[in-house]
Structures are given as C-alpha cells and as structure tokens.
Amino acid sequence: MTDDTTAGKPERFTFDFDPRFAPLLSVLGIRPDTAGVLVGPGTLRVRFGPWVTETPLANVSGVETTGPYSPFRAIGVHVSLADRGLTFATSARKGLCVRFHEPIRGGEPFGLLRHPGLTVTVADPAGLAEKLSRRL
C-alpha cells in the first residue's frame, strides 16, 4: 500500500484570491501564477510570490481550518507577534493553519526567524487539510 502524499505526482492547491486585494498583491509579485501550495512527494512547498518555504511532510504535526479574518490583519505576508506563526493570505474568508514539529523558515530572507505554524488561504482548505492529515 502506498501513501499518496509521498508517491506519485505532486498535488497543487491554489490560493483564494479576493478580487478587492488582487491588484495590491500583484504589486508585491503575488499572483495566481506565482502563489500555490504543492504537496508531495514527501514535501510541502509553499510559494507566495517571492516568498518560498519548504519542509518534509513528516514535519507537519497538525492542521486546523481558521477564519474568517480581518482583511487588514490578514492580507499579504504577516508574522504573528503572539506565536511567530507565518501567514500567507490572499483573502479574509478562511484558511488552513499548518503546525510543524520543527519550526520552518520563510518570512524573511535570512532565515533567522523560524515559524511553528503557517496559515495559507487556499481555495480548498478542507482538501488540503485532508491531504496533509493522511500523513499525521
């Protein structure tokens, strides 16, 4: 029996772009063609315009659907002051918070700050949660 999160073709999850914020995000280089979540084989890779983070699927410790959010606190790239969690958001509707065993890099270019969680506002948070949960 094979685990489909580690074998075969990677699955791509697109971000849920709110049209109100798409022009602003585009100026930052964040567009549907430059933003997405890729799962497999054995890796979780998230690209959000110029920001990229990658970690082994074995590093995922949990997932939780979250939202809705305040647009002013969510849209774009944010680091939580409370827990250092990283957010890549293109809408305020809902997203998926992915927790890690070992904190990941991704919010700043030098990799000095590590993030215990990453929230992404993908179009199918339930589908991404299911895909990652198979690994837990």
Side-chain angles (χ1 to χ4, degrees):
M1 181 164 86
T2 62
D3 177 12
D4 69 349
T5 61
T6 59
K9 185 177 179 182
E11 186 171 350
R12 185 173 192 271
F13 293 84
T14 60
F15 275 82
D16 176 21
F17 277 82
D18 185 320
R20 296 176 296 170
F21 305 111
L24 173 64
L25 292 168
S26 181
V27 169
L28 299 172
I30 304 162
R31 300 178 310 275
D33 64 320
T34 65
V37 177
L38 201 61
V39 180
T43 301
L44 172 66
R45 184 175 194 271
V46 182
R47 180 175 178 205
F48 196 67
W51 292 272
V52 177
T53 187
E54 188 169 337
T55 191
L57 285 173
N59 191 30
V60 175
S61 65
V63 295
E64 176 185 359
T65 302
T66 59
Y69 319 105
S70 163
F72 303 106
R73 295 183 61 175
I75 302 301
V77 176
H78 297 277
V79 176
S80 168
L81 296 176
D83 68 357
R84 296 182 337 274
L86 183 60
T87 298
F88 292 158
T90 55
S91 80
R93 289 182 273 274
K94 62 182 172 178
L96 186 72
C97 178
V98 182
R99 301 272 177 214
F100 304 104
H101 295 289
E102 295 292 325
I104 62 165
R105 292 192 236 188
E108 43 84 24
F110 302 108
L112 300 174
L113 185 60
R114 302 291 177 123
H115 309 283
L118 172 64
T119 298
V120 291
T121 58
V122 293
D124 183 11
L128 179 56
E130 180 182 333
K131 186 83 170 172
L132 294 175
S133 293
R134 289 185 204 152
R135 193 63 191 140
L136 301 177

